[in-house]
Every structure is written in structure tokens, then in C-alpha cells.
Amino acid sequence: MVKMLIDGALVDTARHMDVIDPSDESVVAQVPDAGAAEVDQAVAAAKRAFPAWRDSTAQARGDALAAMARVIADNGDELAALLIQETGRPMALAQFEIAHLAQGYLNYYANLRIEPEILIEDDTRRVELHRKPLGVVAAVVPWNAPVFIACNKIAPALAAGNCIVVKTAPSTPLTTLRLGELIKDVVPAGVVNILSGGNEAGAHLVAHPDVAKVTFTGSTGTGRKIMEAASPTLKRVTLELGGNDAAIVLPDADVKAIAPAIFAFAFFNSGQVCAIIKRLYVHESLYDAMCAEIAAYASGSKLAGGRDPEAQFGPVQNKAQYDKVLDYLAGAKASGTIIAGGELPEGPGYFVPLTVVRDVAEGDVIVDEEPFGPILPIIRYSDVDDVIARANASPYALGGSIWSSDPEAAAKVALRLESGSVWVNQHCALDPAVPFPANKQSGFGVEGGIEGLYPYTALQTLNIAKAAAA
Ligand code: NAD
């Protein structure tokens, strides 16, 4: 049985949680179920480890992150196989998360350095700006990209000189716990602690008075609770929350050329990604053609569990989310015309076919809310000013994209979207060197790039009066 990493030791608990394979609903593993005592131990270990880690060199911290990335590379096949078990996703997607995203972000932050800045230097004084680590960071992770999101928090937190306690999502703890076992001796005891547990463990962790900062990725509803929990001790908070990204196809776009990419960016990971296309706005002159193209790609896709080598799309990751997606499916059927998918397959597993719904508009739940599953609404528009206003009317503002045969003109339109990331002729193009900001109720406190390091630090100015000239 995999164990938790606390204070450099592998720790079990009396209580355990089942890990379910969503492609057949079988129990694939049992993992520890952390309670308040284990959370307290992990925070205490991180607090003890902090002074030495803070005072270590940036080079030493970078070397540790690079070593973690090498551990992932050396054990990539095992980690990908575990990720398939707990998510049901196809092999290529599991390998992408492990080998590209998790490793890529660790290596990026391994090489990043924060240097003090000289703000003023004259005959009388020198003023410097420093960025200091905060202390113990609590990282709360969702289930849709569990290993990537854990590493995307561990990497900047450690690079900046903090210690971290990671709380994995209740339905996807397996691969991240195994990663914790593998890196046990790569970082000093207490610098990285990895827990499995339910929402209560998360709530206890984020409220802990010895936690200086909370970094959270998950739903907007939980984000609100975390802000409340952070307030008594004024913890720093980074929130990466929900999204309802609009993609807007301009009248000059080439439908056949862009349809494969739009399809891929709408159904990536069976729709379970925060910043993928969730509302596809198509100009009325291209509407029927685009609907037909996307429906054809969706209908021609192979939906199966990740152990099937032909699988292209996997199931919804857990039962609670599956039930939510079925509600959205019922809503889509009631409000629009289903042109692909829509009917559930026989047999076990949380499979929802890739579903495309047309003739829907704002006011329909499938347009106004994020299903976080494989259902794409396609919405007609006739005027560019109007569609920008409609795209911006959402309380979410994570990502957005403009599709056109003229990328430079499209870029000007893209800048009118209010989302943190805007793309032209692509969507959700993540890169560790590029900040991934969120706006409005999609969150705040950026991740990615050098800007993603700053929220793990506190500013300090140093003002030195020079001795008066003789
Ligand atoms: P969730 O909010 O239900 O759970 C996320 C994590 O929070 C889990 O580990 C859970 O145990 C923990 N948690 C729950 N209640 C808590 C509390 N009161 N205090 C502390 N921790 C608590 O989200 P989810 O269903 O796992 O993830 C899906 C959501 O995440 C979607 O809305 C999606 O858009 C969002 N998401 C956002 C990003 C991003 O970068 N913006 C990335 C991935 C997912």
C-alpha cells in the first residue's frame, strides 16, 4: 500500500480510503485517510524544516527540484500506469501529464533565480528590494491533473525557499503519493510532505495557524471557503479556480483548417480541464459548417478506459462529477439540439460520450456554467462587438481564444477579452515560462513564469544610509 510522506518518513493511518478506477468502478488501491493529527504532524515537520531550507542556496534548491524531475523521468512508466488506474485516461494523456507537464515545471523552476534589485543608489543611500520565502505553504490539489498541479505548486514554493504540505484530491491520491515515496530521499525531511485525505483534511490544513500561504486549484465554491479560512491569520492565498472559456470563430476563419484544433481543445481530458473551450461562438456565416465538422470529430472518437490501447478519450474521473455531468447533459438536451453523443453507453464506468449541442444561447445552463465534462455548446453570433460582450459577461475569466485567417487582426480582438490568458488560433497553450493568470471569479495570484514565483515570497526593502563623506 502506498503511504504518505511526512517529515521524510512514509506514514500510514488507521483509516483508509478506496481509490476507484472510473473506467470500471473497481477498487484499485487503498490509501491512508489523513485526519487532523497527520495534518498537524505534516505542518509541524514543514515548520521545523523551514529555517534550514530558507537559508540553503538557490542552487541547492534548484538541484533538488531537478533531482525530483529526474526521479519522475526514471519512473515515468510506473507513474503513468498508476495515473491511468485512478483517472481511466488514455496512455498518451497520462504520459503527457507526467513526462511533459510535471517534469517540465519542475525543471523550469529548478533553473529560475530571484535576484535582489537595487531600487536607488546615490551618495547617501542604497535601497534594495528582496523577496523572502513565507514559511509553510499548504497546497490543495484537484483531481483533473493531480500530478501536474501538485508539481506546479511544489516547484515554485520550494524554489522560493518555502516548505510545503500537499493535500491530494480524495479521488486521485495514488500517483502523487507514489511520487512522494520516490522523492523521499531527494529533499531534506519535512521540506515536502504529501497527504491523502478528504475535504475535512483540506479544511484543517488551510486553517492551520502555522501555514503562511495557501495555494489552491479547484472549484470556485471551495475557493471562497479557503479565503474565509485564511482570514483569521491573514494567510497569503493563490486561487486557480473554475473557467468557462469562450472560443470565438471570426467570419474569415477556415472551418476545415481549424476544426481539428478546436475539437481537441474542447474535449482534452474529456472536458475536465479548467482552461479549455467551454463555449464555442461561431459567426452565423460559418455556423452550420462548424457544427457539422465538430460533430463528425466527436462521433468518430473512441471512448474507452486507458488500458485499451485504442482509447482516445476516457471517462469522467469520479462518481460525483459524473452525476453533475449527467445533469448538464439533461440540460443540454432540453435546451438545444444534440448533434453528437448524448446517449450513455451500456456497462460499468463513468463514461459520457463526447457530446455536441447546437442552437443554445446565454440563459441555457450548458452555456452559462462549466460542465467540466465532455459537452460542448456551439453558439451562433452575428456581430463581433456583441460576441465580445457576451463572452465577457461570464463571472469566470480564465482563458479565451479567437480563431481567424488573420492572426494579427485576431490578436487585437483577443485583447478585448477579459480573461487572464488569451490565445489566437490555439487554446490552453501552457508553458512553464508563461504566467497563467486568472481574472474575476476564476481566481488570483498567478502561477507560471517568474511571476508565479513572486506569490510564494514576501517583499522586503533594505535601505542603507551611507556614511557622510569626510
Ligand atoms: P474541489 O474544489 O471540489 O476540490 C479541490 C480540492 O479541495 C480537493 O483536494 C478537496 O479535497 C479540497 N477541498 C474541498 N473542500 C475544502 C475545504 N473546505 N477546504 C480545503 N480544501 C478543500 O474541486 P474539484 O472538483 O477537485 O476540481 C474541479 C474544479 O477545479 C473545476 O471547477 C475546475 O475548473 C477547477 N480547476 C481549476 C484549475 C485552474 O488552474 N484554474 C485547474 C484545474 C481545475
Side-chain angles (χ1 to χ4, degrees):
M1 181 188 295
V2 287
K3 299 200 172 93
M4 305 189 293
L5 178 62
I6 301 177
D7 204 11
L10 300 182
V11 173
D12 200 358
T13 50
R15 284 187 318 176
H16 294 102
M17 308 188 301
D18 289 342
V19 181
I20 308 286
D21 179 342
S23 61
D24 62 8
E25 300 172 52
S26 63
V27 176
V28 290
Q30 287 204 314
V31 298
D33 184 1
E38 288 81 16
V39 171
D40 291 345
Q41 283 167 22
V43 173
K47 188 178 176 187
R48 273 195 305 277
F50 175 62
W53 187 250
R54 173 195 63 201
D55 296 340
S56 64
T57 63
Q59 181 68 44
R61 297 196 295 268
D63 289 348
L65 291 175
M68 283 175 62
R70 275 197 302 280
V71 165
I72 294 180
D74 293 345
N75 297 276
D77 289 345
E78 181 196 350
L79 293 169
L82 287 174
L83 193 55
I84 290 169
Q85 278 187 17
E86 64 182 341
T87 62
R89 68 176 54 160
M91 170 66 88
L93 187 54
Q95 285 173 331
F96 178 76
E97 177 168 347
I98 301 288
H100 183 75
L101 293 175
Q103 266 185 64
Y105 278 72
L106 286 166
N107 278 325
Y108 173 75
Y109 282 104
N111 292 307
L112 213 55
R113 301 284 178 269
I114 306 180
E115 303 295 346
E117 291 172 46
I118 309 280
L119 299 179
I120 300 171
E121 171 124 54
D122 59 24
D123 293 344
T124 61
R125 63 194 170 144
R126 186 173 80 247
V127 184
E128 299 175 356
L129 182 68
H130 293 255
R131 293 177 189 271
K132 311 292 275 296
L134 296 162
V136 178
V137 171
V140 181
V141 173
W143 45 260
N144 63 323
V147 187
F148 163 48
I149 293 173
C151 289
N152 187 22
K153 296 182 183 310
I154 292 170
L158 263 59
N162 303 283
C163 297
I164 196 165
V165 179
V166 177
K167 210 290 282 176
T168 55
S171 61
T172 54
L174 198 53
T175 318
T176 316
L177 285 180
R178 178 64 187 138
L179 177 61
E181 293 184 341
L182 293 167
I183 61 164
K184 179 169 95 63
D185 300 320
V186 171
V187 283
V191 170
V192 176
N193 305 273
I194 298 185
L195 305 177
S196 44
N199 296 348
E200 308 72 30
H204 188 71
L205 174 62
V206 299
H208 198 295
D210 287 337
V211 166
K213 177 187 172 75
V214 181
T215 171
F216 171 71
T217 301
S219 62
T220 298
T222 305
R224 289 192 190 101
K225 290 186 196 160
I226 284 180
M227 275 189 83
E228 274 184 55
S231 80
T233 55
L234 292 179
K235 296 174 177 46
R236 277 58 184 147
V237 178
T238 293
L239 300 176
E240 293 281 354
L241 308 176
N244 196 7
D245 290 13
I248 299 173
V249 178
L250 297 183
D252 72 341
D254 178 341
V255 168
K256 281 223 178 286
I258 62 175
I262 289 188
F263 168 73
F265 290 121
F267 289 104
F268 190 77
N269 197 21
S270 296
Q272 302 166 109
V273 181
C274 52
I276 53 168
I277 299 171
K278 296 188 179 136
R279 295 178 283 160
L280 177 59
Y281 288 93
V282 182
H283 189 264
E284 58 188 359
S285 61
L286 307 177
Y287 187 76
D288 290 339
M290 182 59 86
C291 286
E293 284 288 317
I294 301 294
Y297 280 109
S299 302
S301 301
K302 168 89 174 171
L303 185 68
R307 282 187 287 262
D308 181 335
E310 291 182 357
Q312 293 174 304
F313 295 90
V316 173
Q317 195 281 321
N318 59 73
K319 176 73 165 72
Q321 185 64 26
Y322 177 70
D323 290 341
K324 277 190 211 165
V325 174
L326 294 193
D327 284 346
Y328 284 111
L329 186 60
K333 284 182 175 175
S335 58
T337 312
I338 303 288
I339 53 174
E343 298 305 321
L344 297 184
E346 299 280 318
Y350 308 136
F351 288 101
V352 177
L354 306 195
T355 297
V356 182
V357 56
R358 57 171 285 169
D359 307 324
V360 284
E362 294 80 7
D364 294 329
V365 173
I366 194 61
V367 175
D368 293 348
E369 297 181 15
E370 64 160 354
F372 219 67
I375 309 174
L376 177 69
I378 308 187
I379 309 140
R380 187 191 302 265
Y381 79 90
S382 54
D383 175 75
V384 173
D385 290 341
D386 176 57
V387 77
I388 294 287
R390 289 159 71 184
N392 285 339
S394 171
Y396 296 112
L398 195 56
S401 57
I402 307 292
W403 299 74
S404 161
S405 297
D406 182 346
E408 293 305 325
K412 293 197 178 81
V413 181
L415 287 171
R416 296 173 62 194
L417 291 172
E418 293 169 347
S419 317
S421 299
V422 288
W423 297 281
V424 172
N425 292 337
Q426 56 180 345
H427 201 105
C428 199
L430 298 184
D431 187 302
V434 178
F436 181 62
N439 200 352
K440 300 203 274 187
Q441 292 185 36
S442 288
F444 53 81
V446 67
E447 295 188 327
I450 185 82
E451 288 79 5
L453 209 45
Y454 296 157
Y456 289 96
T457 64
L459 285 174
Q460 184 180 53
T461 58
L462 171 66
N463 196 331
I464 308 161
K466 294 182 177 175

